[in-house]
Amino acid sequence: MTEYHPSHKRHSPGIFPFGILCHSLVIQQWLISCCKVRMPLNRKFDAAAFAVAVALTRFIFRSREPYDLDSVNFALGIARFDPRVHQPHPPGYFLYVCCGRLLDRFVHDPNLALVLLSVAASCGAVVFIYRLALRWSGQPAARFAAILFLLSPLTWFHGIVALTYGVEAFFSALIGYLCWLIFRGGHRWVPVTGLVLGISAGVRPSSVLLLGPLFLLALYRTPIRYKVTGLLVLALAVAAWFLPMLVVSGGPRVYFYALDSLWRLVPSRTTIFNSSPVNSMARAMTIAFIYLLTFGAASLAPVTGLRNIRVRSPEFLFSAVWTGPSLCVFTFIYLKFVNSGYVLLLAPAGCVWLGVWLSQWYRGSDLSLVAKRSIIGAGAIVNIAIFLFSPLYCSYRSVRRFESQLRTVDGALAKIADPKDTLIVAFDSHFLGFRHAGYSLPQYLTVEYPEVPQHDEIRVFAMRGRDTSLLPNMRAVASERFIFYPLPQDGAGYRKYLESVESKLPPDTIRVVHLDGVDFVTGPVSCLSSLFPKTAPRTSGEQCVSGVPVQGGPVYNRAHPVKTQGPKRLNF
């Protein structure tokens, strides 16, 4: 249960989490009734009903602030598209940002515009998951598959935040459905599928790599003219957004320069080709955990379903090509738990297969009807509880806690720091990091620690007025003092990292201001040469001195050497 904060009155949906859970139980009685083999409702109404249920559950729980670092990048990209300064980060997600910009013209809130994209994509995903399962195994399987997507903790989370993964799941479901139609002889769908795949690459460029093999499989049995047509439409669709993106980004050299810099900085360091195989094993275990998080109680369905699978069936071959490339990339190239949304591309295939197995269990189990419905209801409650109350980053509880922390930090910092003479130093963190500081406090100049290599140069990311730049040096900064934007206080890793940063500063030169339950580390700008040796070198004769005035209190020294006494408080 989230801790109450007065600011929740303005931002919360107005329903207490326990009340939401009770309300959800009523919804689940309707969902359980949908599991009957024979239903009077027609199939089109079924799909529409699930889409409406997805829309309501996502919109009610939507995030009010950009939740993740990437969410802020996308919101900034709506105002000015520039992958060179990570507005948004490379490879750019051009069509995603363009769609967000279009919606922002109506809602005048970049985060809400992108969240609405996630909600709409989730509605589309559940429709095509339902339709594919319907073709594979009939209406009971389709209903189970749709319920799994509706109540999946991870797909639910990505339907309420401003991230691309929910949209990618929609394209995975749509392309999977269209490729199945082609695979079973519907050659007329080839051009449409090529177009959709090209558009999906504009949302997440990795889609071509991960879903392209499925398109090639679907084309394998088509006449040569359809093969040529499909590939030509795909190429034209990609070119239609890729070439304008290069122009807006400043040209091919600038765009690929930024893309290469990010690749060198993050993903390239831990691939199977240049790191220990242990990293790949750890990523495989992470994928297994994300599977449990995605389907919750329904993760146990393969226990009864695997024995009925036919390895030589068209569905098995199709699914292997649908999911295999993604599993290989996430296992051997790059994946972190905080990026668990990557695996959402596999969710449509997982929902369909689990839906088929659950329908087989429901139809063939010797348990009484009451017992089977009770098991389904209990599983639904488990999944809802995971989404609402789990301590993981992808829960409603965590979203609300983060938003409360963000408002508290921003309000307290504004009380003790004047934008005219204060430089905010923030950190490269997914939560309460540089991006959140610069986005939510646009009146301040904010720089990111640490410095970042840009091929042969060292630069510092800086933000003011919700616009980003890369500073070659910080000598022109007019601020008298700096203040650290505090990291989340509920993690030992964050505290340890902050202590390691503080240890690089000269002893007895910084102060800590405690206000509204938050510690703010502050000191003179002249001391930052220890943190930014390349971009803020100390000039000859310049000294790092303490005694910088601070608005408000209480304030105390934080000394870096090991001490047996507590911090000395100073009265202002």
Side-chain angles (χ1 to χ4, degrees):
M1 186 178 296
T2 53
E3 180 181 356
Y4 174 77
H5 190 276
S7 59
H8 285 178
K9 292 181 179 179
R10 180 168 61 93
H11 291 275
S12 66
I15 306 177
F16 194 70
F18 181 75
I20 296 172
L21 178 59
C22 294
H23 177 68
S24 301
L25 296 180
V26 176
I27 297 177
Q28 289 317 304
Q29 294 304 312
W30 172 77
L31 293 175
I32 293 171
S33 67
C34 289
C35 300
K36 296 179 180 179
V37 176
R38 296 181 180 179
M39 288 287 293
L41 300 178
N42 62 60
R43 296 171 179 178
K44 291 184 179 179
F45 181 80
D46 261 3
F50 282 117
V52 170
V54 167
L56 291 176
T57 54
R58 273 53 173 176
F59 186 77
I60 290 173
F61 295 95
R62 69 191 184 279
S63 63
R64 267 56 176 185
E65 306 288 348
Y67 181 57
D68 185 87
L69 174 149
D70 292 350
S71 301
V72 184
N73 288 344
F74 295 131
L76 294 171
I78 287 178
R80 183 173 73 89
F81 185 86
D82 188 354
R84 182 181 61 90
V85 293
H86 292 200
Q87 290 193 190
H89 50 291
Y93 312 92
F94 186 64
L95 292 184
Y96 177 74
V97 173
C98 288
C99 291
R101 183 175 296 178
L102 179 62
L103 284 176
D104 185 55
R105 292 180 179 270
F106 299 97
V107 300
H108 306 293
D109 182 344
N111 181 69
L112 177 59
L114 296 173
V115 168
L116 290 177
L117 279 180
S118 297
V119 174
S122 298
C123 295
V126 77
V127 169
F128 288 103
I129 288 171
Y130 177 91
R131 298 190 68 171
L132 182 58
L134 186 67
R135 286 183 170 271
W136 279 15
S137 191
Q139 196 170 38
R143 288 173 173 169
F144 269 111
I147 291 173
L148 287 173
F149 184 87
L150 171 65
L151 299 181
S152 161
L154 194 61
T155 62
W156 198 341
F157 165 76
H158 282 286
I160 70 170
V161 294
L163 292 171
T164 60
Y165 305 118
V167 183
E168 186 176 38
F170 159 71
F171 278 111
S172 178
L174 175 56
I175 292 170
Y177 176 73
L178 292 173
C179 285
W180 178 254
L181 295 181
I182 300 171
F183 189 69
R184 302 303 288 175
H187 299 164
R188 63 191 179 93
W189 295 103
V190 168
V192 176
T193 308
L195 177 63
V196 172
L197 182 57
I199 294 173
S200 71
V203 174
R204 281 191 64 86
S206 58
S207 297
V208 169
L209 173 66
L210 303 179
L211 295 176
L214 184 63
F215 184 47
L216 295 178
L217 173 68
L219 291 178
Y220 180 73
R221 297 180 179 178
T222 62
I224 186 64
R225 69 178 185 275
Y226 286 104
K227 292 182 174 70
V228 173
T229 301
L231 295 175
L232 181 61
V233 170
L234 171 60
L236 292 175
V238 171
W241 62 262
F242 187 72
L243 295 179
M245 183 188 68
L246 290 182
V247 174
V248 175
S249 302
R253 182 177 179 277
V254 173
Y255 174 79
F256 289 108
Y257 186 93
L259 181 61
D260 182 64
S261 296
L262 182 63
W263 170 257
R264 292 171 182 267
L265 189 65
V266 185
S268 66
R269 298 183 176 183
T270 58
T271 69
I272 188 64
F273 305 107
N274 59 3
S275 66
S276 170
V278 175
N279 288 328
S280 296
M281 295 174 62
R283 284 191 288 264
M285 295 178 64
T286 300
I287 293 173
F289 181 75
I290 295 173
Y291 165 78
L292 298 175
L293 181 60
T294 302
F295 298 109
S299 301
L300 299 176
V303 173
T304 60
L306 285 175
R307 63 189 179 188
N308 298 323
I309 196 169
R310 293 179 296 157
V311 177
R312 297 184 179 181
S313 66
E315 292 84 359
F316 182 84
L317 172 62
F318 186 85
S319 300
V321 179
W322 191 358
T323 61
S326 300
L327 290 174
C328 290
V329 170
F330 300 150
T331 302
F332 300 114
I333 304 300
Y334 181 74
L335 178 68
K336 290 186 177 181
F337 178 66
V338 74
N339 302 120
S340 59
Y342 284 10
V343 186
L344 220 61
L345 182 141
L346 306 174
C351 287
V352 171
W353 275 105
L354 293 179
V356 171
W357 291 335
L358 286 173
S359 67
Q360 292 173 350
W361 164 81
Y362 190 85
R363 183 170 55 247
S365 175
D366 294 331
L367 295 174
S368 66
L369 187 62
V370 174
K372 288 187 286 190
R373 291 186 179 182
S374 299
I375 292 173
I376 295 172
I381 293 173
V382 169
N383 282 22
I384 294 172
I386 292 173
F387 169 73
L388 289 179
F389 306 120
S390 75
L392 301 173
Y393 86 99
C394 50
S395 70
Y396 176 78
R397 171 176 177 258
S398 296
V399 172
R400 287 293 174 259
R401 174 178 291 181
F402 163 79
E403 292 175 344
S404 176
Q405 290 177 347
L406 180 66
R407 292 189 292 270
T408 299
V409 169
D410 291 347
L413 191 148
K415 295 176 184 177
I416 63 174
D418 187 347
K420 297 179 180 179
D421 62 6
T422 304
L423 172 71
I424 296 178
V425 177
F427 305 99
D428 183 15
S429 171
H430 275 266
F431 307 103
L432 296 183
F434 164 70
R435 280 310 193 190
H436 287 106
Y439 186 85
S440 58
L441 296 171
Q443 67 272 31
Y444 292 84
L445 175 61
T446 304
V447 297
E448 182 185 49
Y449 173 84
E451 301 166 317
V452 292
Q454 295 286 310
H455 287 268
D456 296 332
E457 302 171 326
I458 301 296
R459 293 287 186 267
V460 172
F461 277 101
M463 286 184 65
R464 188 194 287 275
R466 292 187 175 177
D467 194 33
T468 312
S469 59
L470 279 168
L471 300 180
N473 64 74
M474 296 170 56
R475 305 303 304 176
V477 174
S479 305
E480 297 179 6
R481 68 187 181 100
F482 71 85
I483 188 167
F484 284 168
Y485 194 79
L487 291 167
Q489 302 177 11
D490 52 359
Y494 289 121
R495 291 191 295 269
K496 185 177 180 180
Y497 177 78
L498 185 57
E499 290 172 0
S500 70
V501 174
E502 292 177 30
S503 67
K504 298 180 181 180
L505 295 169
D508 301 322
T509 60
I510 63 174
R511 302 289 184 265
V512 176
V513 183
H514 185 81
L515 183 65
D516 294 342
V518 183
D519 286 344
F520 294 95
V521 178
T522 184
V525 168
S526 58
C527 296
L528 288 179
S529 59
S530 301
L531 300 181
F532 301 93
K534 299 295 184 181
T535 56
R538 188 177 303 172
T539 60
S540 177
E542 184 181 34
Q543 295 182 350
C544 174
V545 296
S546 60
V548 179
V550 180
Q551 302 176 28
V555 183
Y556 57 87
N557 279 329
R558 177 175 289 175
H560 307 304
V562 178
K563 298 176 60 177
T564 57
Q565 299 178 351
K568 179 181 178 181
R569 292 185 177 272
L570 303 179
N571 296 321
F572 278 70

